[in-house]
Amino acid sequence: MPSPSLASYVNPMPTNDGDAPAVEPPMREVSLPFPTPPYCGDFAIHIRRDGTWCYQHSPIRRQALCRLFASVLHKDADGKHWLVTPAERGRITVELAPFLVVQCQRQDGVLRLKTTLDQWTSVDKEHPLWMERRTPQGPLSLCSSSLQESPSQNSAQNSAQNPAQNPAQNPAQNPAQNPADPCSEMLPYLCINPQRRLDALVSRSVFYEIAERAEYDERENLFFVRSGEDRFALTASDPPSDD
């Protein structure tokens, strides 16, 4: 089956402004079964924290198209997300993770999790479950060729300079139960594809379901969940390494 041409579905944004020379961004430490293709420009695709794929700020309604894009999605060593085919490559933005876990089940003692794109993944050492704090990333600016800060990112920077306007730095405006502020809480993630560095955010309802199966380790003073012969802490931990 031939690889899809991204330009058949979405138009890349211009690679330069006016007469300025195009700057090709690096794509570091991405393992491909073919030579690194030429950079064609960034794509105005943004993946929200709820797993919704958007093009030019509008949700992509065709699930099959989202799965097609997901099949050529990679994350490089700098944390940037790329759509890569043998013919072209271009960056997209991801708010927290490119996938969202919405269902879980146990099968023969193994915890299995399902994403909004109908991907089932068994939790194991190669596909671990962990907790991490991340800063959300905004969508690409449609009026520039490079990965520019969105208005929400600019607002976040302004708030950082003015703690009175930043709930994350102002305890009076930072209730611990605020689920809308991802900077105020640790969030659970699942490694979907270690070769391509892809992971999924675990939805709140699924995490509660997983937490109901948690056990307590008095020696290490932490809660954990079992999947097969492995156990995974439900407290803050380091994300999986690339090794």
Side-chain angles (χ1 to χ4, degrees), residues 55-225:
Y55 177 58
Q56 295 184 349
H57 306 299
S58 298
I60 300 175
R61 303 298 182 185
R62 293 174 55 192
Q63 191 83 336
L65 186 56
C66 294
R67 285 195 287 266
L68 177 65
F69 290 148
S71 70
V72 296
L73 180 65
H74 298 258
K75 183 167 74 172
D76 68 14
D78 295 323
K80 302 298 183 183
H81 288 81
W82 296 79
L83 298 182
V84 186
T85 73
E88 71 248 295
R89 63 185 172 96
R91 293 177 297 181
I92 68 171
T93 53
V94 176
E95 184 172 354
L96 288 174
F99 308 109
L100 179 72
V101 171
V102 293
Q103 185 178 342
C104 74
Q105 66 178 29
R106 273 197 178 273
Q107 184 175 344
D108 299 327
V110 176
L111 188 62
R112 303 188 69 239
L113 303 181
K114 178 186 177 183
T115 71
T116 48
L117 295 186
D118 295 329
Q119 304 159 292
W120 280 100
T121 302
S122 296
V123 180
D124 53 29
K125 290 181 179 179
E126 187 177 2
H127 306 90
L129 183 70
W130 80 98
M131 305 288 293
E132 182 185 348
R133 188 186 302 276
R134 293 183 180 177
T135 300
Q137 183 179 16
L140 288 170
S141 169
L142 299 183
C143 59
S144 176
S145 61
S146 60
L147 285 170
Q148 299 290 338
E149 297 166 348
S150 66
S152 60
Q153 288 177 298
N154 290 328
S155 298
Q157 288 187 350
N158 293 336
S159 296
Q161 297 172 2
N162 185 359
Q165 298 179 0
N166 185 359
Q169 298 184 20
N170 188 346
Q173 301 180 24
N174 183 27
Q177 67 273 20
N178 181 8
D181 182 9
C183 295
S184 69
E185 58 184 335
M186 286 290 178
L187 295 173
Y189 294 90
L190 170 71
C191 178
I192 296 290
N193 188 312
Q195 289 74 33
R196 291 192 279 151
R197 297 188 180 94
L198 301 181
D199 47 35
L201 174 67
V202 179
S203 66
R204 186 178 297 273
S205 60
V206 170
F207 181 69
Y208 285 162
E209 189 174 347
I210 292 173
E212 290 178 353
R213 309 171 188 267
E215 304 173 47
Y216 180 66
D217 186 323
E218 293 185 358
R219 178 180 299 178
E220 299 186 17
N221 189 30
L222 58 79
F223 287 94
F224 66 92
V225 64

